[in-house]
Amino acid sequence: MKRTIVVTGGSRGIGRALCKAFAAPGVHIFFNFHSLEQAGKETAEYISAAGAIPGRFRVNVADSEEVADFFKTIIDTTGRIDVLINNAGISRDNLLARMKESDWDDVVAVNLKGAFNCTKAAIRTMMKQKYGRIINITSISGVSGNAGQANYSAAKAGIIGLTKSTARELASRGITANAIAPGFIETDMTAELPKATKDAIMAQIPAGRPGAPEDVAGVAVFLASEAAAYITGQVIHVNGGLYI
């Protein structure tokens, strides 16, 4: 049986690495992007090159109607959803005293409500199948907190709570739900950080290097496999020892 994989925020960074890691002949990989059309095309090309079948859609995960249409298309195409990876996220960093309400609302809407919208849209099909793997990408910031990221940290902490509740509700249906908490990963988002900030973070990483998107994707592949069938409700840290 060829699986159907759904990755939100799949156009670049960790999302692209996830799409590439799951790409195999005959596998359907549906992913969304919000604004980066060219990056989405490039990800689709990587998927096709591996023999998988890409499904590329512009979807705002914070919009429940757009999400419902996205998942309806998936079900109409393949009839199943085997793996859902909630990866879509944005950041609007600022100190709490200076943070605009709109920056709080936008980050929580995409990062947390988006994961809720997509999980809710996928689980009915997974429940009928009596099988599913839900993997939520949280962050080290959602566990330890981070100055200047009250909105991002709160949303990512919320994802952990969502993961644990989902795991408890759906375990009896053959569905697992786990979270991955990346640390300092080399992506376009972290590339924008000042050098002094990056140097300060690097000094705290016992492994002595930043993570790569592929480090996160490898854990996701394991959690989606049958080897992880008895693992649910867990947060797997991928951070080189930055948070222990």
Side-chain angles (χ1 to χ4, degrees):
M1 181 184 66
K2 303 302 182 183
R3 296 196 296 176
T4 296
I5 315 294
V6 183
V7 179
T8 69
S11 62
R12 60 178 180 165
I14 291 174
R16 177 179 288 180
L18 289 164
C19 290
K20 292 171 68 175
F22 281 92
V27 174
H28 286 264
I29 300 180
F30 294 87
F31 70 94
N32 85 296
F33 64 95
H34 187 233
S35 59
L36 300 171
E37 176 75 33
Q38 182 56 39
K41 289 181 179 178
E42 292 170 0
T43 298
E45 290 171 358
Y46 283 118
I47 294 170
S48 295
I53 304 163
R56 173 174 56 92
F57 296 87
R58 184 187 296 273
V59 178
N60 176 9
V61 294
D63 187 315
S64 58
E65 292 185 3
E66 289 189 27
V67 168
D69 289 342
F70 177 45
F71 279 86
K72 183 179 184 303
T73 299
I74 294 169
I75 296 303
D76 288 346
T77 302
T78 69
R80 62 184 299 112
I81 299 171
D82 297 284
V83 181
L84 167 64
I85 307 178
N86 287 306
N87 169 72
I90 61 171
S91 61
R92 300 282 187 274
D93 297 350
N94 211 334
L95 294 174
L96 184 58
R98 300 174 183 172
M99 185 173 291
K100 295 186 292 186
E101 184 178 353
S102 60
D103 288 340
W104 174 277
D105 290 344
D106 289 347
V107 169
V108 172
V110 173
N111 295 21
L112 181 54
K113 184 184 177 184
F116 161 76
N117 285 339
C118 294
T119 301
K120 185 176 180 181
I123 59 174
R124 185 178 297 275
T125 296
M126 289 183 173
M127 289 167 69
K128 289 179 180 177
Q129 298 167 174
K130 296 185 178 180
Y131 176 87
R133 299 285 185 265
I134 299 169
I135 302 168
N136 296 324
I137 306 301
T138 179
S139 169
I140 187 174
S141 297
V143 181
S144 65
N146 197 25
Q149 286 193 315
N151 49 2
Y152 187 80
S153 296
K156 290 299 189 179
I159 285 176
I160 293 173
L162 174 63
T163 301
K164 291 178 179 292
S165 293
T166 302
R168 287 187 179 275
E169 290 187 18
L170 300 178
S172 64
R173 306 295 187 96
I175 301 167
T176 65
N178 293 287
I180 301 174
F184 185 66
I185 307 296
E186 287 189 315
T187 64
D188 291 345
M189 187 181 293
T190 57
E192 297 174 359
L193 294 173
K195 183 178 184 302
T197 301
K198 289 192 257 188
D199 289 345
I201 295 172
M202 284 297 301
Q204 300 176 61
I205 302 175
R209 68 170 179 89
E214 290 74 18
D215 293 320
V216 179
V219 176
V221 170
F222 167 69
L223 289 174
S225 73
E226 291 310 299
Y230 201 56
I231 299 174
T232 195
Q234 304 304 304
V235 181
I236 311 299
H237 292 270
V238 183
N239 59 38
L242 179 58
Y243 176 88
I244 296 176

